């Protein structure tokens, strides 16, 4: 097994779970770790919200032993609030603190944070420096290729991050204006890797073990980060790890096995957030596990109505029964 180090934090060189707001919560991260994710990053928390003692924001920073090595992620555009937020975040004992300079969502960008920082390189550098000077753990930065096709400046930003003390930089190969459409530009990730000495994490369009290896080989990046490719497929991390270490991997689970993984995932959500809130939030991830099954569209509609664990159990049994009946018809 190969490893990389980010500011002294040792991480397997397989695949990490990308930070994904409203997706990669604790349950999602635990599932990814149980299936072999080398490293996970929490949901982004507002620097200003932390400094104003927002309880819900602070809840995004908790770290459990089963998630390590783990980073907590902050977003903000005012260095003074970044300083305060880093000091608060460190109370939760993260292994790494990550500064989000890549989120393209309007509510983040409108405040000058996320991808908007890529339009103001000088301020970006000040934000990174403020975080590094306040932190006692490594500070990393997540960026995109640029704001749009006419302003691809990931190399410049990565160099600024390095100059201001960042321990690593993660690069999503899309611009802000692309959001999640089109193809990720791996050439940008490769250019960043060639321009800095700190570790570079590549992100974008890795959905199979083969594509993970291809990203390593093409970009030369130090670690690959998987985001949407893991939706309803936490076993992808195990497949990647097996493929990189042995050259082969097990096929995807059977529909019945996938339902068991779904059950485990949703129970973790409920365990963390309670049944009322947890089941509402579980509807979306539950539907991901059904992709490709016979009758998936109908079952996804039923997922949107889930309110209790008992309903979940009945839905799982219904899907199993109908899948079995269809299998018998095919014989």
């Amino acid at each position: 097994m190969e490893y990389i180090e980010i500011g002294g934090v040792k991480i397997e060189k397989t695949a990490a779970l990308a930070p994904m707001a409203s997706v990669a919560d604790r349950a999602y991260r635990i599932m990814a770790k149980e299936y072999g994710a080398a490293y996970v990053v929490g949901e982004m928390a507002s620097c200003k919200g932390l400094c104003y003692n927002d309880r819900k924001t602070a809840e995004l920073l908790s770290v459990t032993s089963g998630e390590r090595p783990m980073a907590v992620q902050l977003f903000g555009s005012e260095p003074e609030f970044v300083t305060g937020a880093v000091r608060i975040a460190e109370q939760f004992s993260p292994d790494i603190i990550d500064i989000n300079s890549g989120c393209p969502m309007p509510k983040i960008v409108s405040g000058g944070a996320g991808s908007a920082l890529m339009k103001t390189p000088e301020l970006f550098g000040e934000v990174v420096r403020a975080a590094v000077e306040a932190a006692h753990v490594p500070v990393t930065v997540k960026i995109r290729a640029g704001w749009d096709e006419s302003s691809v400046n990931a190399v410049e930003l990565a160099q600024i991050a390095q100059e201001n003390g960042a321990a690593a930089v993660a690069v999503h190969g899309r611009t802000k204006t692309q959001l999640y459409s089109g193809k990720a530009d791996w050439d940008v990730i490769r250019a960043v890797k060639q321009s800095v000495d700190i570790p570079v994490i590549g992100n974008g369009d890795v959905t199979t073990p083969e594509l993970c290896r291809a990203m390593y080989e093409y970009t030369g990046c130090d670690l690959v980060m998987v985001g949407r490719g893991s939706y309803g497929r936490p076993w992808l991390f195990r497949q990647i790890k097996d493929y990189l270490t042995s050259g082969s991997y097990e096929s995807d689970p059977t529909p019945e096995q996938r339902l068991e993984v779904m059950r485990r995932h949703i129970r973790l959500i409920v365990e963390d957030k309670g049944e009322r809130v947890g089941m509402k939030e579980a509807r979306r991830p539950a539907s991901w596990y059904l992709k490709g099954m016979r009758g998936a569209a109908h079952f996804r509609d039923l997922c949107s109505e889930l309110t209790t664990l008992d309903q979940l159990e009945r839905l799982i049994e219904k899907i199993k029964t109908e899948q079995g009946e269809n299998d018998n018809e095919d014989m």
Side-chain angles (χ1 to χ4, degrees), residues 1 12-16 36-38 212 216 223-224 240-241 244-245:
M1 177 64 64
E12 289 183 354
K13 191 171 180 175
T14 54
C212 183
Y216 274 123
L223 184 65
V224 168
I240 287 173
K241 184 173 181 177
L244 294 178
T245 55

Side-chain angles (χ1 to χ4, degrees), residues 261-272:
V261 179
M262 179 180 79
R263 174 189 277 127
R264 163 74 173 152
H265 188 165
I266 293 177
R267 286 191 171 275
L268 282 173
I269 296 173
V270 170
E271 183 181 305
D272 187 41

Side-chain angles (χ1 to χ4, degrees), residues 25-162:
D25 58 9
R26 180 179 294 111
Y28 201 108
R29 297 191 301 266
I30 289 174
M31 292 296 293
K33 286 293 292 185
E34 288 182 350
Y35 278 94
Y39 167 62
V40 300
V41 184
E43 298 177 88
M44 60 183 177
S46 164
C47 290
K48 192 172 284 189
L50 287 172
C51 292
Y52 284 123
N53 299 310
D54 183 81
R55 181 179 59 82
K56 289 187 177 180
T57 299
E59 287 174 356
L60 297 172
L61 301 178
S62 62
V63 180
T64 61
S65 59
E67 297 172 89
R68 297 187 186 277
M70 175 179 165
V72 297
Q73 190 179 68
L74 306 176
F75 73 90
S77 59
E78 297 163 280
E80 62 272 24
F81 284 112
V82 173
T83 295
V86 166
R87 291 171 178 162
I88 294 168
E90 286 205 327
Q91 297 173 19
F92 294 83
S93 301
D95 299 295
I96 292 170
I97 291 175
D98 187 59
I99 302 299
N100 184 303
S101 302
C103 178
M105 295 298 101
K107 67 178 181 179
I108 305 299
V109 171
S110 63
S115 293
L117 280 174
M118 299 192 71
K119 298 174 72 175
T120 54
E122 185 176 345
L123 177 59
F124 169 81
E126 292 173 6
V127 165
V128 175
R129 173 54 58 184
V132 170
E133 290 182 347
H136 297 86
V137 297
V139 171
T140 61
V141 183
K142 179 84 185 290
I143 63 175
R144 281 188 166 231
W147 180 263
D148 56 29
E149 288 186 7
S150 65
S151 57
V152 173
N153 62 345
V155 167
E156 177 190 1
L157 271 291
Q159 291 172 338
I160 291 172
Q162 177 174 271

Side-chain angles (χ1 to χ4, degrees), residues 234-256:
W235 52 82
L236 176 60
F237 293 101
R238 177 181 292 169
Q239 291 173 327
I240 287 173
K241 184 173 181 177
D242 289 346
Y243 186 62
L244 294 178
T245 55
S246 70
S248 63
Y249 60 92
E250 292 185 3
S251 58
D252 287 348
T254 65
E256 186 166 346

